[in-house]
Amino acid sequence: MADLSSDNLVGLYVAIAVYFSLLIAATVIAYRWKQQSSLSRSSSPDGGGNGDDDQQQQQINDHFETHFLGNRSLGPLVTTGTAFASYFSGYTLVGMPNQAYSMGWMTLMWAASIPTAIVTFISLSARLRKIGILRNHQSPVDFITDRFRSQVLRYTSVVLIVFPSLMYLTAQMVAIRGTFNSLFKIPADSPWAVLVTAAIIVVFEWVGGLRGVALTDCVQGIIMFACFICLPLIVFRHYGGWASLDWETYPKQNFFQTPSREQQWMYWQFVVMFITVGMYPHIIQRIYAADSFKSIKYAYSVISLAPWFAVIPAIFLGTMSVQILVDNGIENVTSPFASMLELIMDLGGFAYVVGVIASTATLAAIMSTADSVLIAISQLLTSEVFTHVLPKSSPKVICILGRLSTFLIMALALVAAFLGGQNLIDLILIQNGLMLNNLPIYFFGLYGRSIDPHPWILCFSAICGAATVAILHYTYLQRDPENQPVMIAAGIAGAGLNFALVVLLEGVRSLWSWYSKKKGDEQSDNSHSIPTWDLPNLSRFDGGHNVYLSSDFIWEAMEGIREPLVEHWFVFLMVGITVLLTPFTEPSTPPLDDTGNLVWAPNLVNGIPAWAFQIVMILVPLTIFLLYCIMAMSDDLFPENQSKQPLSAEEQEERRGLKTGAESSVTESEGKNDASAGAGEEETNNELITSKLP
């Protein structure tokens, strides 16, 4: 960002002080709620267990529930506020206007990507939440562990989630450093501002847990929302709107062209890549933390409206700033958004106040995403690593390890931010591509029925997909990118290979099982054979009764609940809409002459290119349709008075149809006939556990 004048810094100092005071107040309130929740849980009659080990495990679970999930009690307003602030990072407020300044109306790709993200949200949320309640899931990886029962796949997913999330957190630290140093005229290479801000974020997370993060997100979200609304109104009042632009004198006439073929292809891939957003751990964490599914629906409804109150206003600021800055003699700016803020603050009065708030909002937007990602990664490392490396640890030690993980994660992000340089930018570019390789795992785990892949197949395919992303990004796509015959996003290529390998290898495995059965091998079937060393401890999910989470269990649990994704018309409609939201039109029209001016008048509607206006118009019914789909989903995931408590072993067995009368008779008969099989077979069975899934 460009430096603010000394006169404007006075108001900024006051705004920053008020902002941090509000964050401290929110954290204190969250801390008190957290303490009350801990006391109520410890005094609960069912808070203990039958023995010391059970009681200790219960206390650890209570710590996770209270600290990392806010006691699963985030209401509609808090859930909406934290989801909004976490989804829209500092890039939305600062980077998007800057991108619009450089790319023009092509920045509408951000508006077109939000429906893709919403589809992912509503596809994952209902199933993850209900199964999570029934099976006592807490971590974003718990579903994968419970569903596929493989340590190899479990920790592959942990790496594919933590690594991109850590890059995401690192990007926020880079943004905080640049923003804070520029705002307060601190030398660009000074580390102190970002170190202090990072320390504040860590302390807030230690003290308030997820509830503290959520409340501070609400404060930050309100500030961002105010800026999204007020800044465009001020610009419109003082400088006019799109209709006032003259394409013949506009400094960047190429903005009025239709996108080139390469831009159209890039645009569509960008929209598709936003499937990854719903798989980030801080998003899944809020699915588990909300007090009801209705609260989650409210949050998604607000995010679905974001093209109108966040993205399009940001594009308006960026495209208008091209003309406004030139008219004010400002050229070759590093941050058009910062230069526009300076002009707005110079207007005085209400515009000055809004400009000061917007300067504060840039920091708020970045911090809101940073603290959300930080606590999500901390939860993953604590639950998936520390508690398994030190399984006998007391609840107090687990609490200390959780805080230690928060500190270590922030330290790693800071080191990467200070030392990454250009390499860091490359990592940020591929973070969504790496995260996208979790999609087949969640897709087949939640919706797979006819195809139920072996966990090792999913693991191998995910590793191959992630490797493809890295190889493509660092070789093919960076070698003369301007002249590549096909500009394909590395993430889409990697995920496509991932899906193809899963289907191919699972098909081969099924054919081999069928062929073996045909040859008379009665021991061969299509079940998942998993060695004992790869089996995780599922006692927290099934009460220690070895009752597995199967695809049939999931589908039966979702009976009677409205889900858009299970409707074929919804899938085809959304695929078609992603195509309609992409400006597939005659490329680079009108053409430019040698001086960079348009050869003939462009096709405009109210001052903007016709192709961009068409996308905006398509977004109108699409937003209404998405709101309908969200609100049409069931408010209560437990119809007909179903229990919201985790299912007991007996209930799970009854739901899955395990050990029915006929099956028990067959099992008893087979047991008598096989009693003389010998100790060799028993030893083999101890080495290999075969779980028969439908």
Side-chain angles (χ1 to χ4, degrees), residues 336-634:
F337 178 77
S339 300
M340 281 296 296
L341 280 187
E342 186 79 9
L343 290 176
I344 289 172
M345 293 170 72
D346 288 341
L347 295 173
F350 177 72
Y352 173 80
V353 174
V354 172
V356 169
I357 294 175
S359 299
T360 308
T362 59
L363 183 62
I366 300 167
M367 288 183 64
S368 65
T369 303
D371 57 16
S372 296
V373 176
L374 177 65
I375 193 171
I377 305 176
S378 176
Q379 181 193 21
L380 272 173
L381 290 184
T382 306
S383 62
E384 304 298 333
V385 178
F386 291 146
T387 57
H388 296 279
V389 174
L390 302 170
K392 300 297 183 179
S393 299
S394 65
K396 184 177 181 180
V397 171
I398 293 298
C399 180
I400 295 174
L401 290 174
R403 292 179 177 177
L404 177 62
S405 67
T406 301
F407 175 80
L408 292 176
I409 293 161
M410 181 59 79
L412 285 173
L414 289 172
V415 170
F418 291 137
L419 303 179
Q422 183 62 38
N423 292 332
L424 171 63
I425 296 175
D426 292 337
L427 290 176
I428 293 171
L429 289 175
I430 64 172
Q431 69 181 36
N432 279 345
L434 294 175
M435 184 68 75
L436 192 57
N437 282 282
N438 286 292
L439 181 61
I441 301 174
Y442 280 106
F443 175 79
F444 288 112
L446 288 169
Y447 290 95
R449 214 169 189 177
S450 57
I451 300 180
D452 188 20
H454 191 284
W456 288 2
I457 290 177
L458 289 170
C459 179
F460 174 78
S461 302
I463 293 173
C464 290
T468 300
V469 171
I471 293 171
L472 272 180
H473 178 79
Y474 287 112
T475 56
Y476 177 78
L477 296 178
Q478 288 196 350
R479 186 182 303 160
D480 193 15
E482 298 293 331
N483 298 311
Q484 294 292 354
V486 179
M487 284 299 294
I488 184 170
I492 292 180
L497 175 65
N498 189 341
F499 266 107
L501 283 175
V502 170
V503 175
L504 175 64
L505 295 178
E506 182 62 22
V508 170
R509 191 178 74 90
S510 298
L511 285 175
W512 177 258
S513 174
W514 171 82
Y515 178 74
S516 299
K517 275 189 173 182
K518 189 176 181 181
K519 289 180 64 177
D521 185 359
E522 297 297 334
Q523 299 296 323
S524 177
D525 57 24
N526 199 31
S527 60
H528 295 174
S529 301
I530 305 173
T532 54
W533 57 263
D534 190 36
L535 290 173
N537 182 2
L538 303 179
S539 59
R540 179 162 59 85
F541 307 138
D542 60 15
H545 295 282
N546 294 325
V547 180
Y548 301 141
L549 176 63
S550 69
S551 58
D552 279 356
F553 178 98
I554 295 173
W555 280 95
E556 291 172 13
M558 299 306 295
E559 285 182 1
I561 297 174
R562 299 188 65 178
E563 298 179 277
L565 193 64
V566 300
E567 304 290 343
H568 295 299
W569 62 266
F570 177 82
V571 177
F572 288 115
L573 180 63
M574 292 310 302
V575 171
I577 287 174
T578 61
V579 175
L580 291 176
L581 286 174
T582 303
F584 290 125
T585 182
E586 184 67 25
S588 304
T589 305
L592 298 174
D593 59 23
D594 294 337
T595 62
N597 295 322
L598 295 174
V599 174
W600 63 75
N603 186 10
L604 304 179
V605 180
N606 294 326
I608 67 174
W611 65 266
F613 183 80
Q614 176 182 331
I615 291 175
V616 173
M617 289 298 98
I618 293 174
L619 280 171
V620 175
L622 178 57
T623 302
I624 297 173
F625 172 71
L626 287 175
L627 285 172
Y628 166 77
C629 290
I630 293 170
M631 301 314 296
M633 295 180 72
S634 304

Side-chain angles (χ1 to χ4, degrees), residues 45-60:
D46 57 351
N50 297 326
D52 292 339
D53 290 342
D54 291 339
Q55 186 173 7
Q56 178 170 299
Q57 184 59 49
Q58 183 62 45
Q59 290 173 351
I60 293 174

Side-chain angles (χ1 to χ4, degrees), residues 64 68 138-142 154-155 157-163 165 279-282 285 373-388 405 409 442:
F64 276 100
F68 291 115
Q138 296 173 336
S139 158
V141 181
D142 277 352
R154 174 189 197 172
Y155 288 107
S157 297
V158 168
V159 172
L160 288 178
I161 291 174
V162 169
F163 189 58
S165 299
M279 292 179 288
Y280 272 91
H282 59 288
Q285 192 177 42
V373 176
L374 177 65
I375 193 171
I377 305 176
S378 176
Q379 181 193 21
L380 272 173
L381 290 184
T382 306
S383 62
E384 304 298 333
V385 178
F386 291 146
T387 57
H388 296 279
S405 67
I409 293 161
Y442 280 106

Side-chain angles (χ1 to χ4, degrees), residues 641-659:
N641 298 320
Q642 290 182 13
S643 173
K644 295 185 179 182
Q645 298 299 319
L647 290 180
S648 65
E650 292 76 12
E651 291 172 319
Q652 294 185 60
E653 289 174 356
E654 181 180 356
R655 176 178 288 277
R656 291 190 62 227
L658 294 178
K659 298 182 180 179

Side-chain angles (χ1 to χ4, degrees), residues 9-317:
L9 277 176
V10 176
L12 182 60
Y13 285 131
V14 175
I16 291 291
V18 172
Y19 165 66
F20 277 105
S21 298
L22 291 174
L23 295 188
I24 292 172
T27 304
V28 170
I29 293 172
Y31 175 75
R32 291 179 176 176
W33 283 351
K34 179 181 171 182
Q35 292 298 102
Q36 291 175 357
S37 297
S38 298
L39 290 174
S40 63
R41 279 181 170 272
S42 62
S43 61
S44 174
D46 57 351
N50 297 326
D52 292 339
D53 290 342
D54 291 339
Q55 186 173 7
Q56 178 170 299
Q57 184 59 49
Q58 183 62 45
Q59 290 173 351
I60 293 174
N61 290 340
D62 290 346
H63 167 71
F64 276 100
E65 293 269 340
T66 304
H67 185 80
F68 291 115
L69 296 178
N71 205 26
R72 300 186 190 262
S73 60
L74 302 186
L77 293 178
V78 177
T79 301
T80 301
T82 186
F84 170 77
S86 300
Y87 183 83
F88 295 101
S89 66
Y91 189 87
T92 309
L93 188 61
V94 181
M96 207 173 292
N98 290 343
Q99 184 178 8
Y101 179 88
S102 302
M103 298 180 61
W105 285 276
M106 272 290 292
T107 315
L108 278 169
M109 66 177 71
W110 288 94
S113 67
I114 290 178
T116 305
I118 291 295
V119 171
T120 310
F121 290 159
I122 62 180
S123 301
L124 297 179
S125 57
R127 295 198 169 212
L128 283 179
R129 180 172 176 83
K130 181 161 187 179
I131 301 304
I133 293 174
L134 291 174
R135 302 281 290 185
N136 194 31
H137 294 168
Q138 296 173 336
S139 158
V141 181
D142 277 352
F143 168 77
I144 297 173
T145 304
D146 192 13
R147 174 69 177 83
F148 295 106
R149 305 178 305 284
S150 169
Q151 295 281 54
V152 173
L153 180 60
R154 174 189 197 172
Y155 288 107
T156 300
S157 297
V158 168
V159 172
L160 288 178
I161 291 174
V162 169
F163 189 58
S165 299
L166 182 59
M167 290 189 286
Y168 195 27
L169 178 61
T170 302
Q172 307 310 311
M173 293 300 103
V174 173
I176 288 176
R177 183 184 186 184
T179 300
F180 218 112
N181 290 7
S182 181
L183 283 175
F184 292 101
K185 297 186 176 182
I186 301 172
D189 59 350
S190 174
W192 298 111
V194 68
L195 289 176
V196 171
T197 307
I200 292 173
I201 293 174
V202 169
V203 171
F204 283 173
E205 193 271 340
W206 282 353
V207 174
L210 181 64
R211 191 185 290 273
V213 170
L215 288 181
T216 55
D217 280 350
C218 290
V219 174
Q220 293 153 342
I222 292 172
I223 296 174
M224 286 190 289
F225 182 79
C227 293
F228 288 143
I229 301 300
C230 294
L231 283 176
L233 293 177
I234 291 173
V235 170
F236 182 81
R237 181 175 182 272
H238 290 275
Y239 301 103
W242 278 323
S244 65
L245 298 177
D246 184 355
W247 68 269
E248 292 185 283
T249 60
Y250 192 75
K252 298 183 178 182
Q253 292 190 23
N254 60 303
F255 283 6
F256 294 100
Q257 285 185 296
T258 57
S260 65
R261 286 295 183 211
E262 292 76 13
Q263 288 176 319
Q264 294 173 26
W265 179 233
M266 179 193 71
Y267 185 111
W268 181 81
Q269 291 181 100
F270 183 89
V271 172
V272 173
M273 283 287 290
F274 259 67
I275 295 174
T276 61
V277 174
M279 292 179 288
Y280 272 91
H282 59 288
I283 301 296
I284 296 178
Q285 192 177 42
R286 278 144 184 78
I287 293 175
Y288 292 147
D291 65 345
S292 67
F293 190 66
K294 195 171 185 178
S295 297
I296 298 173
K297 289 172 57 178
Y298 287 146
Y300 293 165
S301 298
V302 171
I303 293 177
S304 68
L305 295 171
W308 305 102
F309 66 77
V311 180
I312 292 178
I315 297 173
F316 176 77
L317 288 175

